[in-house]
């Protein structure tokens, strides 16, 4: 699936959250049998990469597991959902059509299945049948799948996980959607920006991006944020990147994003946060 045989997997260096492992062990064979490419998104992906692969500190805690599911049509998605429920381990949530609850001895975990690809409209939205009154923004999901990394979360279980650039793209899109009502995405974006150098990129900065490192006086957080901006620009389609560039270059949006990050991080002054965001924007705008 998705040329996995041509991509090397990364092994987690610390034990992965048992609830995530159980959910993925149950879902993976069903998705593969149906040829549904999927990737782990959200906070689970963030912690898999930052904590389990690179040994960094965890970010904001979350209770649910988000999965992007590439389907050709709604029928395929419905069949996948029915087969998961048929295992007896997943229970439907009547209030949220995308949500199942994984329930087994000692575990109860909300699992959001977010469909995209064949059910996505030209403007990057999915509208749930039959009434199409529930609408979700899935802009960036194709890019997140295409740039995902293979992680061996446990022996014999290797899954696709959104990369840090992919996660950043998704988080920026989510923040653009709900940033006026909630700032919950802002601390996640800030965490990704400030951790990128330490997440396997220090040697790359010294070996391949020394000019960038020198330009910021060897400040690893600033260099990592700018490198992440370049990498996000490198994975995005022109349509998605136009939206993201418009977001970060809009004065009011930029100021609100910095304000939300500063509010959420407490220890960081807005000026320090703005330097990180500005570095990310430099990188993002340097790649056309």
């Amino acid at each position: 699936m998705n040329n996995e045989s041509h991509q090397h997997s990364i092994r987690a260096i610390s034990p992965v959250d048992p609830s995530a492992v159980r959910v993925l062990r149950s879902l993976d064979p069903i998705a593969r049998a149906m040829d549904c490419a999927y990737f782990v998104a959200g906070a689970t992906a963030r912690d898999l990469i930052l904590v389990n692969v690179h040994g960094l500190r965890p970010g904001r805690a979350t209770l649910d597991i988000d999965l992007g599911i590439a389907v050709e049509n709604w029928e395929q998605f419905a069949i996948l959902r029915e087969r998961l429920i048929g295992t007896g381990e997943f229970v439907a949530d009547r209030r949220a059509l995308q949500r199942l609850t994984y329930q087994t001895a000692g575990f109860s975990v909300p699992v959001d299945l977010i469909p995209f690809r064949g059910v996505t409209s030209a403007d990057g939205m999915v509208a749930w049948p039959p009434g199409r009154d529930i609408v979700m923004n899935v802009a960036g999901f194709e890019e997140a799948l295409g740039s995902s990394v293979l992680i061996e979360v446990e022996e014999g279980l290797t899954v696709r996980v959104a990369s840090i650039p992919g996660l950043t793209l998704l988080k920026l899109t989510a923040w653009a959607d709900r940033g006026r009502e909630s700032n919950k995405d802002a601390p996640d974006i800030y965490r990704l920006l400030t951790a990128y150098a330490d997440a396997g990129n220090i040697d790359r900065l010294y070996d391949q991006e020394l000019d960038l490192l020198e330009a910021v006086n060897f400040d690893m957080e600033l260099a990592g944020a700018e490198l992440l901006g370049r990498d996000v620009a490198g994975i995005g389609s022109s349509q998605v990147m136009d939206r993201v560039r418009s977001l970060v270059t809009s004065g009011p949006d930029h100021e609100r994003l910095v304000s939300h990050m500063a509010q959420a991080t407490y220890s960081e002054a807005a000026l320090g946060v703005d330097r990180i965001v500005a570095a990310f924007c430099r990188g993002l705008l340097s790649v056309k």
Side-chain angles (χ1 to χ4, degrees):
M1 179 165 47
N2 207 31
N3 296 322
E4 288 187 7
S5 60
H6 302 296
Q7 184 179 355
H8 295 296
S9 63
I10 305 166
R11 179 172 295 180
I13 62 172
S14 63
V16 175
D17 181 349
S19 60
V21 173
R22 290 197 182 193
V23 167
L24 292 169
R25 276 212 176 276
S26 185
L27 176 138
D28 187 70
I30 295 173
R32 287 178 181 273
M34 293 186 61
D35 199 26
C36 289
Y38 74 92
F39 67 93
V40 182
T44 304
R46 176 202 67 200
D47 287 349
L48 278 169
I49 292 178
L50 296 186
V51 179
N52 299 117
V53 170
H54 293 291
L56 304 179
R57 63 176 176 81
R60 179 176 60 93
T62 187
L63 298 175
D64 59 350
I65 297 173
D66 296 333
L67 302 168
I69 311 284
V71 294
E72 297 307 317
N73 48 53
W74 284 110
E75 181 182 12
Q76 187 182 25
F77 182 75
I79 293 171
L80 173 67
R81 189 171 177 273
E82 288 167 6
R83 290 184 181 178
L84 290 172
I85 293 170
T87 64
E89 297 175 325
F90 292 88
V91 178
D93 187 325
R94 295 179 181 178
R95 294 170 299 177
L97 295 177
Q98 84 282 3
R99 177 163 292 184
L100 301 176
T101 300
Y102 178 84
Q103 293 181 338
T104 186
F107 287 96
S108 179
V109 186
V111 180
D112 282 347
L113 306 177
I114 305 169
F116 66 99
R117 187 168 288 175
V119 295
T120 307
S121 64
D123 60 352
M125 310 297 286
V126 293
W128 292 74
R132 298 187 175 275
D133 50 346
I134 299 175
V135 179
M136 297 179 67
N137 187 345
V138 294
F141 272 64
E142 283 289 356
E143 288 80 2
L145 175 62
S147 62
S148 62
V149 294
L150 286 170
I151 295 181
E152 185 180 355
V153 297
E154 194 177 64
E155 187 173 355
L157 179 61
T158 298
V159 300
R160 287 201 165 276
V161 178
S163 64
I164 296 179
L167 272 177
T168 305
L169 183 61
L170 294 180
K171 280 291 179 182
L172 282 168
T173 302
W175 181 85
D177 267 2
R178 57 194 179 202
R180 288 175 175 81
E181 292 79 33
S182 167
N183 69 347
K184 74 173 193 173
D185 298 300
D188 289 338
I189 299 170
Y190 186 72
R191 176 79 178 112
L192 296 172
L193 265 58
T194 54
Y196 198 50
D198 288 331
N201 288 300
I202 290 179
D203 287 346
R204 180 181 167 200
L205 283 164
Y206 276 104
D207 296 341
Q208 303 171 33
E209 306 288 350
L210 190 57
D211 288 348
L212 187 162
L213 202 51
E214 290 175 341
V216 295
N217 294 318
F218 293 86
D219 185 314
M220 279 297 171
E221 282 195 348
L222 288 180
E226 186 166 343
L227 184 64
L228 179 55
R230 294 182 185 181
D231 288 348
V232 170
I235 67 168
S237 67
S238 58
Q239 184 179 21
V240 173
M241 288 315 305
D242 284 347
R243 292 180 186 176
V244 173
R245 289 191 181 99
S246 175
L247 170 70
V248 298
T249 55
S250 162
D253 285 333
H254 181 104
E255 291 174 9
R256 190 168 69 254
L257 180 60
V258 169
S259 174
H260 281 182
M261 287 180 176
Q263 291 169 22
T265 53
Y266 302 113
S267 61
E268 297 288 342
L271 183 60
V273 173
D274 189 46
R275 291 177 69 234
I276 294 291
V277 175
F280 173 75
C281 292
R282 280 197 305 273
L284 190 70
L285 299 174
S286 70
V287 179
K288 301 298 182 181

